[in-house]
PDB file of all heavy atoms in Angstrom:
ATOM      1  N   HIS A 311       5.139 -29.395  -1.134  1.00  0.00           N
ATOM      2  CA  HIS A 311       3.891 -28.637  -1.153  1.00  0.00           C
ATOM      3  C   HIS A 311       3.676 -27.967  -2.504  1.00  0.00           C
ATOM      4  O   HIS A 311       2.565 -27.958  -3.033  1.00  0.00           O
ATOM      5  CB  HIS A 311       3.915 -27.583  -0.055  1.00  0.00           C
ATOM      6  CG  HIS A 311       2.752 -26.665  -0.068  1.00  0.00           C
ATOM      7  ND1 HIS A 311       1.555 -26.973   0.517  1.00  0.00           N
ATOM      8  CD2 HIS A 311       2.573 -25.466  -0.651  1.00  0.00           C
ATOM      9  CE1 HIS A 311       0.700 -25.993   0.309  1.00  0.00           C
ATOM     10  NE2 HIS A 311       1.300 -25.062  -0.402  1.00  0.00           N
ATOM     11  N   ILE A 312       4.730 -27.410  -3.059  1.00  0.00           N
ATOM     12  CA  ILE A 312       4.610 -26.744  -4.354  1.00  0.00           C
ATOM     13  C   ILE A 312       4.057 -27.738  -5.376  1.00  0.00           C
ATOM     14  O   ILE A 312       3.173 -27.407  -6.166  1.00  0.00           O
ATOM     15  CB  ILE A 312       5.976 -26.184  -4.786  1.00  0.00           C
ATOM     16  CG1 ILE A 312       6.301 -24.955  -3.939  1.00  0.00           C
ATOM     17  CG2 ILE A 312       5.982 -25.842  -6.263  1.00  0.00           C
ATOM     18  CD1 ILE A 312       7.695 -24.436  -4.126  1.00  0.00           C
ATOM     19  N   LEU A 313       4.561 -28.970  -5.333  1.00  0.00           N
ATOM     20  CA  LEU A 313       4.117 -29.960  -6.330  1.00  0.00           C
ATOM     21  C   LEU A 313       2.673 -30.386  -6.096  1.00  0.00           C
ATOM     22  O   LEU A 313       1.840 -30.330  -6.999  1.00  0.00           O
ATOM     23  CB  LEU A 313       5.048 -31.178  -6.290  1.00  0.00           C
ATOM     24  CG  LEU A 313       6.499 -30.869  -6.677  1.00  0.00           C
ATOM     25  CD1 LEU A 313       7.361 -32.095  -6.454  1.00  0.00           C
ATOM     26  CD2 LEU A 313       6.591 -30.427  -8.132  1.00  0.00           C
ATOM     27  N   TYR A 314       2.350 -30.819  -4.868  1.00  0.00           N
ATOM     28  CA  TYR A 314       0.991 -31.356  -4.707  1.00  0.00           C
ATOM     29  C   TYR A 314      -0.065 -30.264  -4.708  1.00  0.00           C
ATOM     30  O   TYR A 314      -1.191 -30.493  -5.149  1.00  0.00           O
ATOM     31  CB  TYR A 314       0.870 -32.289  -3.494  1.00  0.00           C
ATOM     32  CG  TYR A 314       1.154 -31.727  -2.121  1.00  0.00           C
ATOM     33  CD1 TYR A 314       0.363 -30.724  -1.578  1.00  0.00           C
ATOM     34  CD2 TYR A 314       2.166 -32.260  -1.341  1.00  0.00           C
ATOM     35  CE1 TYR A 314       0.601 -30.241  -0.309  1.00  0.00           C
ATOM     36  CE2 TYR A 314       2.411 -31.771  -0.065  1.00  0.00           C
ATOM     37  CZ  TYR A 314       1.627 -30.765   0.443  1.00  0.00           C
ATOM     38  OH  TYR A 314       1.855 -30.283   1.701  1.00  0.00           O
ATOM     39  N   LYS A 315       0.281 -29.069  -4.236  1.00  0.00           N
ATOM     40  CA  LYS A 315      -0.729 -28.011  -4.257  1.00  0.00           C
ATOM     41  C   LYS A 315      -0.994 -27.568  -5.689  1.00  0.00           C
ATOM     42  O   LYS A 315      -2.137 -27.283  -6.054  1.00  0.00           O
ATOM     43  CB  LYS A 315      -0.267 -26.841  -3.396  1.00  0.00           C
ATOM     44  CG  LYS A 315      -1.316 -25.788  -3.158  1.00  0.00           C
ATOM     45  CD  LYS A 315      -2.626 -26.374  -2.675  1.00  0.00           C
ATOM     46  CE  LYS A 315      -2.726 -26.410  -1.168  1.00  0.00           C
ATOM     47  NZ  LYS A 315      -4.059 -26.919  -0.739  1.00  0.00           N
ATOM     48  N   ALA A 316       0.044 -27.554  -6.506  1.00  0.00           N
ATOM     49  CA  ALA A 316      -0.166 -27.261  -7.926  1.00  0.00           C
ATOM     50  C   ALA A 316      -1.097 -28.306  -8.522  1.00  0.00           C
ATOM     51  O   ALA A 316      -2.039 -27.987  -9.250  1.00  0.00           O
ATOM     52  CB  ALA A 316       1.170 -27.246  -8.657  1.00  0.00           C
ATOM     53  N   LEU A 317      -0.837 -29.569  -8.188  1.00  0.00           N
ATOM     54  CA  LEU A 317      -1.670 -30.650  -8.716  1.00  0.00           C
ATOM     55  C   LEU A 317      -3.129 -30.492  -8.292  1.00  0.00           C
ATOM     56  O   LEU A 317      -4.056 -30.661  -9.101  1.00  0.00           O
ATOM     57  CB  LEU A 317      -1.106 -31.990  -8.223  1.00  0.00           C
ATOM     58  CG  LEU A 317      -1.802 -33.268  -8.669  1.00  0.00           C
ATOM     59  CD1 LEU A 317      -1.897 -33.326 -10.185  1.00  0.00           C
ATOM     60  CD2 LEU A 317      -1.063 -34.488  -8.151  1.00  0.00           C
ATOM     61  N   LEU A 318      -3.347 -30.148  -7.033  1.00  0.00           N
ATOM     62  CA  LEU A 318      -4.718 -29.969  -6.547  1.00  0.00           C
ATOM     63  C   LEU A 318      -5.417 -28.822  -7.265  1.00  0.00           C
ATOM     64  O   LEU A 318      -6.573 -28.929  -7.680  1.00  0.00           O
ATOM     65  CB  LEU A 318      -4.719 -29.716  -5.038  1.00  0.00           C
ATOM     66  CG  LEU A 318      -4.271 -30.883  -4.159  1.00  0.00           C
ATOM     67  CD1 LEU A 318      -4.072 -30.429  -2.729  1.00  0.00           C
ATOM     68  CD2 LEU A 318      -5.288 -32.003  -4.212  1.00  0.00           C
ATOM     69  N   PHE A 319      -4.691 -27.712  -7.427  1.00  0.00           N
ATOM     70  CA  PHE A 319      -5.293 -26.579  -8.129  1.00  0.00           C
ATOM     71  C   PHE A 319      -5.519 -26.905  -9.601  1.00  0.00           C
ATOM     72  O   PHE A 319      -6.454 -26.387 -10.212  1.00  0.00           O
ATOM     73  CB  PHE A 319      -4.420 -25.324  -7.977  1.00  0.00           C
ATOM     74  CG  PHE A 319      -4.893 -24.414  -6.879  1.00  0.00           C
ATOM     75  CD1 PHE A 319      -4.622 -24.707  -5.561  1.00  0.00           C
ATOM     76  CD2 PHE A 319      -5.630 -23.282  -7.167  1.00  0.00           C
ATOM     77  CE1 PHE A 319      -5.067 -23.878  -4.542  1.00  0.00           C
ATOM     78  CE2 PHE A 319      -6.083 -22.440  -6.149  1.00  0.00           C
ATOM     79  CZ  PHE A 319      -5.799 -22.751  -4.834  1.00  0.00           C
ATOM     80  N   MET A 320      -4.644 -27.737 -10.163  1.00  0.00           N
ATOM     81  CA  MET A 320      -4.849 -28.151 -11.553  1.00  0.00           C
ATOM     82  C   MET A 320      -6.136 -28.961 -11.669  1.00  0.00           C
ATOM     83  O   MET A 320      -6.937 -28.756 -12.592  1.00  0.00           O
ATOM     84  CB  MET A 320      -3.665 -28.995 -12.038  1.00  0.00           C
ATOM     85  CG  MET A 320      -2.393 -28.213 -12.288  1.00  0.00           C
ATOM     86  SD  MET A 320      -1.041 -29.364 -12.667  1.00  0.00           S
ATOM     87  CE  MET A 320       0.319 -28.246 -12.886  1.00  0.00           C
ATOM     88  N   GLY A 321      -6.334 -29.872 -10.714  1.00  0.00           N
ATOM     89  CA  GLY A 321      -7.550 -30.693 -10.734  1.00  0.00           C
ATOM     90  C   GLY A 321      -8.799 -29.831 -10.593  1.00  0.00           C
ATOM     91  O   GLY A 321      -9.754 -29.973 -11.357  1.00  0.00           O
ATOM     92  N   ALA A 322      -8.759 -28.925  -9.637  1.00  0.00           N
ATOM     93  CA  ALA A 322      -9.901 -28.023  -9.447  1.00  0.00           C
ATOM     94  C   ALA A 322     -10.096 -27.172 -10.690  1.00  0.00           C
ATOM     95  O   ALA A 322     -11.229 -26.901 -11.110  1.00  0.00           O
ATOM     96  CB  ALA A 322      -9.660 -27.135  -8.228  1.00  0.00           C
ATOM     97  N   GLY A 323      -8.982 -26.784 -11.318  1.00  0.00           N
ATOM     98  CA  GLY A 323      -9.057 -25.981 -12.526  1.00  0.00           C
ATOM     99  C   GLY A 323      -9.751 -26.720 -13.659  1.00  0.00           C
ATOM    100  O   GLY A 323     -10.549 -26.132 -14.394  1.00  0.00           O
ATOM    101  N   VAL A 324      -9.463 -28.008 -13.805  1.00  0.00           N
ATOM    102  CA  VAL A 324     -10.117 -28.793 -14.857  1.00  0.00           C
ATOM    103  C   VAL A 324     -11.630 -28.819 -14.609  1.00  0.00           C
ATOM    104  O   VAL A 324     -12.427 -28.648 -15.539  1.00  0.00           O
ATOM    105  CB  VAL A 324      -9.551 -30.229 -14.914  1.00  0.00           C
ATOM    106  CG1 VAL A 324     -10.377 -31.103 -15.845  1.00  0.00           C
ATOM    107  CG2 VAL A 324      -8.114 -30.209 -15.377  1.00  0.00           C
ATOM    108  N   VAL A 325     -12.025 -29.008 -13.357  1.00  0.00           N
ATOM    109  CA  VAL A 325     -13.453 -29.032 -13.031  1.00  0.00           C
ATOM    110  C   VAL A 325     -14.110 -27.705 -13.399  1.00  0.00           C
ATOM    111  O   VAL A 325     -15.182 -27.673 -14.021  1.00  0.00           O
ATOM    112  CB  VAL A 325     -13.659 -29.346 -11.524  1.00  0.00           C
ATOM    113  CG1 VAL A 325     -15.105 -29.134 -11.117  1.00  0.00           C
ATOM    114  CG2 VAL A 325     -13.222 -30.757 -11.225  1.00  0.00           C
ATOM    115  N   ILE A 326     -13.452 -26.611 -13.050  1.00  0.00           N
ATOM    116  CA  ILE A 326     -14.038 -25.296 -13.342  1.00  0.00           C
ATOM    117  C   ILE A 326     -14.050 -25.043 -14.846  1.00  0.00           C
ATOM    118  O   ILE A 326     -15.023 -24.534 -15.403  1.00  0.00           O
ATOM    119  CB  ILE A 326     -13.256 -24.191 -12.596  1.00  0.00           C
ATOM    120  CG1 ILE A 326     -13.362 -24.409 -11.094  1.00  0.00           C
ATOM    121  CG2 ILE A 326     -13.790 -22.824 -12.951  1.00  0.00           C
ATOM    122  CD1 ILE A 326     -12.462 -23.537 -10.268  1.00  0.00           C
ATOM    123  N   GLU A 327     -12.975 -25.440 -15.506  1.00  0.00           N
ATOM    124  CA  GLU A 327     -12.887 -25.271 -16.958  1.00  0.00           C
ATOM    125  C   GLU A 327     -14.027 -26.026 -17.657  1.00  0.00           C
ATOM    126  O   GLU A 327     -14.653 -25.521 -18.585  1.00  0.00           O
ATOM    127  CB  GLU A 327     -11.531 -25.811 -17.439  1.00  0.00           C
ATOM    128  CG  GLU A 327     -11.322 -25.822 -18.935  1.00  0.00           C
ATOM    129  CD  GLU A 327     -10.702 -24.524 -19.446  1.00  0.00           C
ATOM    130  OE1 GLU A 327     -10.197 -23.761 -18.621  1.00  0.00           O
ATOM    131  OE2 GLU A 327     -10.760 -24.298 -20.672  1.00  0.00           O
ATOM    132  N   MET A 328     -14.312 -27.235 -17.175  1.00  0.00           N
ATOM    133  CA  MET A 328     -15.302 -28.076 -17.867  1.00  0.00           C
ATOM    134  C   MET A 328     -16.731 -27.711 -17.507  1.00  0.00           C
ATOM    135  O   MET A 328     -17.630 -27.833 -18.330  1.00  0.00           O
ATOM    136  CB  MET A 328     -15.041 -29.543 -17.543  1.00  0.00           C
ATOM    137  CG  MET A 328     -13.825 -30.092 -18.259  1.00  0.00           C
ATOM    138  SD  MET A 328     -13.511 -31.798 -17.842  1.00  0.00           S
ATOM    139  CE  MET A 328     -14.855 -32.616 -18.699  1.00  0.00           C
ATOM    140  N   THR A 329     -16.961 -27.318 -16.263  1.00  0.00           N
ATOM    141  CA  THR A 329     -18.340 -27.076 -15.854  1.00  0.00           C
ATOM    142  C   THR A 329     -18.670 -25.586 -15.752  1.00  0.00           C
ATOM    143  O   THR A 329     -19.839 -25.217 -15.752  1.00  0.00           O
ATOM    144  CB  THR A 329     -18.609 -27.684 -14.466  1.00  0.00           C
ATOM    145  OG1 THR A 329     -17.740 -27.046 -13.539  1.00  0.00           O
ATOM    146  CG2 THR A 329     -18.343 -29.166 -14.450  1.00  0.00           C
TER     147      THR A 329
END
Side-chain angles (χ1 to χ4, degrees):
Chain A
H311 174 84
I312 287 172
L313 297 174
Y314 61 64
K315 189 50 93 177
L317 181 55
L318 293 170
F319 263 78
M320 287 173 181
V324 171
V325 170
I326 298 170
E327 175 90 15
M328 286 179 72
T329 61

